[in-house]
Amino acid sequence: MKNKSLEDLQEKLADFAKVRNWDKFHSPKNLSIALSVEAAELNEIFQWLTEEESKNLNLKQSVQAEQEVADVFLYLLQLSGKLGIDVIDAAYRKLELNNKKYPVEACFGSAKKYTEL
């Protein structure tokens, strides 16, 4: 598939909703809830798998995971668009913040939250 920009995808999503008259349903609250539901559907694929099985999905599980990841991503893009958030800039800022909250020397090999380090 041809490489397209995030802005193109957000525009396509907005058009998709507009022509179906769905924009009235896409408040930040509703999009946030929909995002959570889709994330739960992604979790459902892994729910009863062992750690090893979760790393080696069969074809059906892989297709399901791909579709649910896409749903999560699409709702996240819609929500960020409604809130005026540049998701790429926000992610870079958050990564920098996490870099400060989790210095390598304090957290190397640990799963503890930064407040417990």
Side-chain angles (χ1 to χ4, degrees), residues 80 83-102:
S80 65
L83 297 175
I85 296 170
D86 180 318
V87 70
I88 299 295
D89 286 345
Y92 276 108
R93 283 193 301 274
K94 183 62 176 175
L95 186 57
E96 183 58 34
L97 179 63
N98 286 346
N99 192 42
K100 292 175 183 172
K101 287 171 36 176
Y102 293 95

Side-chain angles (χ1 to χ4, degrees), residues 28-70:
K29 175 193 75 77
N30 288 349
L31 290 169
S32 178
I33 291 168
L35 174 62
S36 176
V37 169
E38 294 301 336
E41 289 178 7
L42 178 60
N43 286 339
E44 188 176 27
I45 296 165
F46 299 97
Q47 184 174 9
W48 304 115
L49 302 181
T50 65
E51 290 293 321
E52 191 59 35
E53 289 169 336
S54 74
K55 296 174 187 176
N56 297 293
L57 299 179
N58 63 38
L59 181 59
K60 180 181 177 186
Q61 292 165 325
S62 292
V63 169
Q64 288 173 322
E66 179 182 287
Q67 291 174 356
E68 297 307 335
V69 165

Side-chain angles (χ1 to χ4, degrees), residues 98-117:
N98 286 346
N99 192 42
K100 292 175 183 172
K101 287 171 36 176
Y102 293 95
V104 174
E105 62 277 1
C107 70
F108 186 81
S110 173
K112 291 180 180 177
K113 188 173 178 175
Y114 72 96
T115 55
E116 298 176 4
L117 296 174

